[in-house]
Amino acid sequence: YWLFIFFYVLYTYNLNLDKFSVNDLIEIQLKTFNTKVYSKILSQLSPTDLMMYLNIASILQKEENNKNNQQIVAWILLKRYKENWMIWADATACYAYEYTQEQCKMNLSTHITDKNDYNTRVMVWLPKTPICNPSYDTIYSMINYKTTKYYYYLHNSTTWEIYYWETLDEHVANKKYMN
């Protein structure tokens, strides 16, 4: 597995194996980020907002794979954060345990109330670091969120269709139909 990752990185960043260094890789990754993401969509943000948006985008990446839904979910996560709510993202509850998305689904109930530096189900702040490397499309959705009245979303565990609600009462009442 790690050998595959190593060669993927070499190929992706066009690195010379004979002259490979970690510093060169980091420099290339930073230049690539600057060219593809920062200079295009993040350069208008303050350093604090930049880190906040990237951190929330990392949660968005794990919470919603469908690009058609990402801008709405981005707004919900951002709105919760800005209004000092818990973000309530299941993916953050599993991050400290290095679970895959499938493992997270199976073990979420075990860890949903665990206190750690990442679990937004039990804390009002953001995780101490992003929980993944969000894609350009996800960062774009985060920056270009779609304002809505919703505070809650839930996926049907069978169809993965997403549903939105304004109130916790609506969310709880409809949650039983999602499984």
Side-chain angles (χ1 to χ4, degrees):
Y1 174 77
W2 289 110
L3 188 59
F4 170 78
I5 297 294
F6 177 74
F7 283 111
Y8 175 79
V9 168
L10 287 175
Y11 175 76
T12 301
Y13 293 103
N14 198 24
L15 297 172
N16 182 340
L17 188 55
D18 296 329
K19 298 178 183 177
F20 174 79
S21 78
V22 172
N23 287 340
D24 289 343
L25 174 61
I26 292 169
E27 186 176 319
I28 290 170
Q29 288 176 319
L30 289 172
K31 284 180 183 177
T32 302
F33 177 80
N34 185 49
T35 303
K36 290 185 174 183
V37 179
Y38 185 76
S39 65
K40 291 181 180 177
I41 60 175
L42 296 175
S43 58
Q44 309 87 0
L45 299 174
S46 71
T48 302
D49 285 346
L50 170 66
M51 291 311 299
M52 175 194 59
Y53 272 76
L54 288 174
N55 203 332
I56 296 174
S58 76
I59 297 167
L60 177 61
Q61 176 87 29
K62 294 292 188 177
E63 285 285 303
E64 182 54 55
N65 294 328
N66 186 331
K67 292 178 193 173
N68 297 324
N69 301 328
Q70 280 189 335
Q71 289 177 308
I72 294 173
V73 175
W75 170 247
I76 292 169
L77 297 173
L78 183 62
K79 183 164 57 166
R80 287 178 184 172
Y81 176 73
K82 287 188 171 192
E83 293 182 12
N84 292 316
W85 287 32
M86 284 187 266
I87 292 176
W88 243 19
D90 292 347
T92 63
C94 296
Y95 182 75
Y97 303 99
E98 299 179 10
Y99 288 154
T100 65
Q101 194 169 13
E102 195 58 39
Q103 290 170 320
C104 183
K105 286 180 197 174
M106 294 185 304
N107 294 293
L108 182 61
S109 62
T110 306
H111 300 296
I112 204 162
T113 59
D114 290 359
K115 291 186 179 187
N116 60 57
D117 293 332
Y118 297 96
N119 191 354
T120 62
R121 303 277 298 189
V122 296
M123 63 181 188
V124 175
W125 56 90
L126 289 173
K128 69 178 185 176
T129 63
I131 64 169
C132 76
N133 186 13
S135 69
Y136 175 86
D137 290 336
T138 301
I139 295 169
Y140 182 86
S141 292
M142 185 68 227
I143 298 298
N144 296 288
Y145 55 80
K146 183 177 178 185
T147 305
T148 70
K149 57 189 175 182
Y150 304 120
Y151 278 90
Y152 301 93
Y153 64 93
L154 186 66
H155 293 94
N156 179 299
S157 61
T158 306
T159 65
W160 207 242
E161 187 174 352
I162 193 167
Y163 298 88
Y164 305 102
W165 297 284
E166 289 181 60
T167 69
L168 182 58
D169 289 340
E170 291 171 324
H171 177 70
V172 170
N174 289 293
K175 188 174 182 178
K176 63 184 170 190
Y177 300 113
M178 298 298 115
N179 296 318

